[in-house]
């Protein structure tokens, strides 16, 4: 992760706050400077322009978030599938509000700048790559039958990650206990939906 001066970190944190509140299009260097408690000239001296500042802010928060995701989706060679998926699900569910703010900003970026889906695709790639590596290992060890590990990764990504997004980003309240939900998803994955 790139090192920033304390002033630059203040500016980056202020930028992130303004991006959350205003979105990419309405975030101005004037608003960011006021939030950071610095002169607007300092922003231009340190970052040259608004685009560089926004990119630095995205890089800063993306690095933090990706490090967390890599930890959540890390696995032991002998770890069971059910255990791994459940730990991963609750790891995402228990991310901090700031972490979910990073996701909100990433999703807002896609909405406002659809041709530039960098943040959200970097986030999803980390999760999909970890899941795929886990399933490849389990296939090689004969724990699960020979299937496309990428397909399994995408299916589990949808079940684990997207459901948490629904609850945490879109504030869609659960009407049941999360342990039940996690167990139910894993049961459906292993047993299917046939009677």
């Amino acid at each position: 992760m790139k090192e920033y001066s304390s002033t630059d970190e203040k500016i980056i944190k202020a930028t992130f706050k303004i991006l959350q509140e205003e979105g990419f299009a309405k975030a101005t260097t004037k608003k960011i400077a006021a939030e950071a408690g610095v002169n607007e000239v300092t922003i231009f001296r340190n970052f040259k322009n608004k685009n560089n500042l926004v990119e630095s802010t995205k890089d800063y928060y993306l690095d933090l978030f990706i490090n967390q995701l890599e930890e959540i989706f890390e696995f032991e060679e002998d770890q069971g599938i059910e255990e791994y998926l459940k730990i991963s699900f609750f790891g995402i569910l228990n991310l901090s509000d700031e972490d979910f703010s990073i996701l909100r900003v990433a999703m807002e970026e896609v909405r406002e700048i659809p041709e530039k889906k960098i943040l959200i695709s970097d986030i999803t790639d980390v999760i999909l790559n970890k899941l795929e590596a886990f399933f490849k290992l389990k296939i090689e060890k004969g724990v699960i039958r020979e299937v496309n590990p990428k397909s399994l990764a995408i299916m589990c990504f949808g079940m684990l990650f997207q459901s948490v997004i629904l609850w945490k980003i879109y504030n869609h309240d659960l009407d049941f206990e999360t342990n039940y939900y996690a167990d139910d998803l894993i049961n459906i994955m292993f047993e299917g939906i046939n009677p």
Side-chain angles (χ1 to χ4, degrees):
M1 187 170 179
K2 184 179 173 185
E3 294 290 320
Y4 292 98
S5 71
S6 60
T7 301
D8 287 350
E9 274 199 23
K10 259 180 24 180
I11 294 168
I12 285 170
K13 288 177 180 179
T15 302
F16 186 68
K17 184 172 189 236
I18 298 296
L19 288 173
Q20 290 177 74
E21 294 169 357
E22 308 277 338
F24 284 87
K26 294 181 183 175
T28 66
T29 54
K30 184 177 235 136
K31 289 177 188 174
I32 293 166
E35 180 66 35
V38 299
N39 191 307
E40 196 175 7
V41 171
T42 304
I43 290 175
F44 290 108
R45 183 176 48 237
N46 295 9
F47 295 95
K48 308 296 179 233
N49 58 50
K50 178 184 165 186
N51 287 341
N52 287 344
L53 173 57
V54 169
E55 289 303 312
S56 293
T57 300
K58 286 171 23 182
D59 290 344
Y60 178 86
Y61 282 95
L62 183 63
D63 284 347
L64 291 174
F65 192 62
I66 284 182
N67 287 339
Q68 287 213 17
L69 289 177
E70 286 176 344
E71 283 181 29
I72 288 169
F73 284 91
E74 196 57 52
F75 57 86
E76 300 293 323
E77 191 171 317
D78 295 327
Q79 191 170 20
I81 297 169
E82 291 181 42
E83 177 191 15
Y84 175 68
L85 293 175
K86 208 165 184 182
I87 288 170
S88 300
F89 173 75
F90 283 104
I92 295 169
L93 192 63
N94 294 321
L95 286 169
S96 71
D97 289 341
E98 183 175 85
D99 293 324
F100 281 105
S101 293
I102 295 167
L103 279 173
R104 280 185 195 94
V105 168
M107 293 168 77
E108 184 69 17
E109 176 189 36
V110 171
R111 197 172 64 77
E112 288 189 16
I113 315 167
E115 71 279 357
K116 198 171 185 185
K117 298 179 183 178
I118 294 171
L119 274 182
I120 200 72
S121 64
D122 286 349
I123 291 166
T124 56
D125 285 351
V126 167
I127 297 169
L128 288 172
N129 290 340
K130 287 285 191 179
L131 286 168
E132 185 177 359
F134 177 77
F135 288 123
K136 272 185 185 172
L137 177 67
K138 295 304 171 186
I139 291 166
E140 288 167 7
K141 290 182 162 267
V143 174
I144 55 177
R145 69 182 174 90
E146 201 51 57
V147 293
N148 184 338
K150 189 164 209 74
S151 295
L152 275 174
I154 291 168
M155 180 185 75
C156 288
F157 173 82
M159 289 186 332
L160 299 171
F161 190 70
Q162 295 295 67
S163 57
V164 173
I165 296 294
L166 181 67
W167 301 324
K168 294 286 191 164
I169 301 290
Y170 297 115
N171 298 318
H172 205 303
D173 287 333
L174 287 176
D175 58 352
F176 50 84
E177 211 261 313
T178 53
N179 266 326
Y180 172 77
Y181 178 82
D183 289 339
D184 207 23
L185 284 180
I186 291 168
N187 177 270
I188 291 167
M189 182 179 161
F190 282 99
E191 303 297 326
I193 60 172
N194 290 329

